[in-house]
Amino acid sequence: MKIGIIGGSGLDDPDIIKDLQSQQWPTAYGETTIKTGRLNSVDIVFVPRHGKDHQFSPTHVNYRANIQAMKDQNVSKIIATNACGSLKAEIEQSDFVIPNQFIDFTRHRINTFHDDFSQGMYHEVMADPFDKSLSELLYSIAKDQGFRVHKDKTLITIEGPRFSTRAESKMFIAWGADIINMTVATEAALAKEAAIPYAVIAVSTDYDCWKEDEEMPVWQDILAVFYRNVENVKKILLETIHQLSNQEGDQ
């Protein structure tokens, strides 16, 4: 078994992975950074989503190279971590959220491996973009560990790097979105095309800007909330990988 982990802002270099080796991995879509190691006897391939120095904005992350590198490494599943804004009062700061649907509101990205139909047409079925069993496992582990966690939620991905206007934030709520971020829809769509089961554990860091009785935090404040929850994210990742390993052994 080999598990892929994609680390977002605040989890660029996880110290829970042992014997971590970093390398630049070439793909047909460009080069990306991968880090390989082991976690409780399980092989891990870790990709820092925004680059080794967090140098890429959400628009300019090389999502295709990141997912292609995971495919080249033959990972069996991908777990992604993410900071998100809450669009619902009941999803509080520091809550965990496991989405099951996304709305893609990005404008400037290549979100497919099949932008060229010269070898034939291809249209991926995207009705259920996140892996159900992996998402359910993340949810049950977070719940068992006593964390506030929500499942079966809709995530909307915006282009970024700017945050929403109040009008946009309220529109996203009217559309039925529960949380908002800048990366997941692109990543999930590519993982689906690559046939790699993919799930996200998101940390709610703020209420975006729809909640007018609260001041919209700056990015540094949002990141501080994620940093306060990094250890809890690691606990969930450790137990999830442990249980995945046990499932593999039982087969």
Side-chain angles (χ1 to χ4, degrees):
M1 170 179 283
K2 188 181 288 187
I3 302 295
I5 298 174
I6 299 178
S9 302
L11 194 68
D12 296 304
D13 199 3
D15 55 11
I16 56 174
I17 301 175
K18 306 305 179 187
D19 303 319
L20 204 60
Q21 302 293 322
S22 181
Q23 60 181 302
Q24 293 303 110
W25 189 266
T27 77
Y29 310 101
E31 194 174 71
T32 191
T33 299
I34 67 170
K35 301 182 180 186
T36 56
R38 292 181 68 77
L39 186 55
N40 292 344
S41 77
V42 177
D43 290 328
I44 301 294
V45 179
F46 179 85
V47 170
R49 179 184 288 121
H50 294 275
K52 63 180 180 179
D53 300 312
H54 205 97
Q55 70 269 36
F56 300 120
S57 74
T59 296
H60 294 102
V61 167
N62 194 338
Y63 297 95
R64 293 201 293 183
N66 288 351
I67 297 299
Q68 184 62 53
M70 291 287 194
K71 190 172 182 67
D72 293 344
Q73 288 287 315
N74 296 314
V75 303
S76 55
K77 301 178 189 301
I78 295 174
I79 303 169
T81 67
N82 182 257
C84 69
S86 169
L87 298 173
K88 295 291 176 63
E90 63 268 23
I91 301 176
E92 300 176 3
Q93 189 182 81
S94 296
D95 284 6
F96 289 106
V97 185
I98 314 297
N100 71 331
Q101 288 290 317
F102 71 66
I103 299 169
D104 189 348
F105 198 65
T106 62
R107 300 178 175 88
H108 304 297
R109 305 182 190 180
I110 300 175
N111 60 0
T112 179
F113 290 112
H114 302 282
D115 52 342
D116 181 349
F117 279 2
S118 61
Q119 303 300 312
M121 291 186 295
Y122 185 92
H123 300 279
E124 180 66 54
V125 174
M126 202 63 63
D128 296 299
F130 301 98
D131 185 74
K132 291 181 180 180
S133 63
L134 185 55
S135 294
E136 187 61 41
L137 181 60
L138 287 168
Y139 172 78
S140 64
I141 287 170
K143 194 171 182 63
D144 288 347
Q145 292 186 349
F147 302 129
R148 281 180 54 91
V149 59
H150 310 264
K151 67 173 181 175
D152 298 335
K153 299 301 180 182
T154 296
L155 172 149
I156 187 163
T157 296
I158 62 173
E159 187 65 49
R162 72 166 177 86
F163 292 118
S164 306
T165 66
R166 291 194 195 280
E168 288 170 335
S169 194
K170 292 174 182 179
M171 178 179 70
F172 300 148
I173 293 170
W175 285 359
D178 300 292
I179 56 175
I180 182 169
N181 90 315
M182 299 180 185
T183 57
V184 168
T186 315
E187 204 168 77
L190 289 164
K192 185 78 167 177
E193 285 190 351
I196 307 173
Y198 172 99
V200 172
I201 181 159
V203 179
S204 173
T205 57
D206 61 276
Y207 280 110
D208 202 42
C209 62
W210 64 272
K211 209 167 185 290
E212 297 187 34
D213 59 339
E214 291 193 10
E215 184 177 351
M216 177 65 192
V218 296
W219 172 243
Q220 289 81 358
D221 296 333
I222 290 170
L223 198 56
V225 174
F226 192 89
Y227 277 129
R228 290 200 297 271
N229 286 277
V230 162
E231 291 307 313
N232 293 337
V233 174
K234 291 177 182 177
K235 288 177 184 177
I236 295 169
L237 287 173
L238 277 167
E239 183 59 24
T240 300
I241 290 168
H242 173 69
Q243 291 198 27
L244 289 171
S245 177
N246 286 345
Q247 290 174 9
E248 178 87 355
D250 291 340
Q251 293 176 358

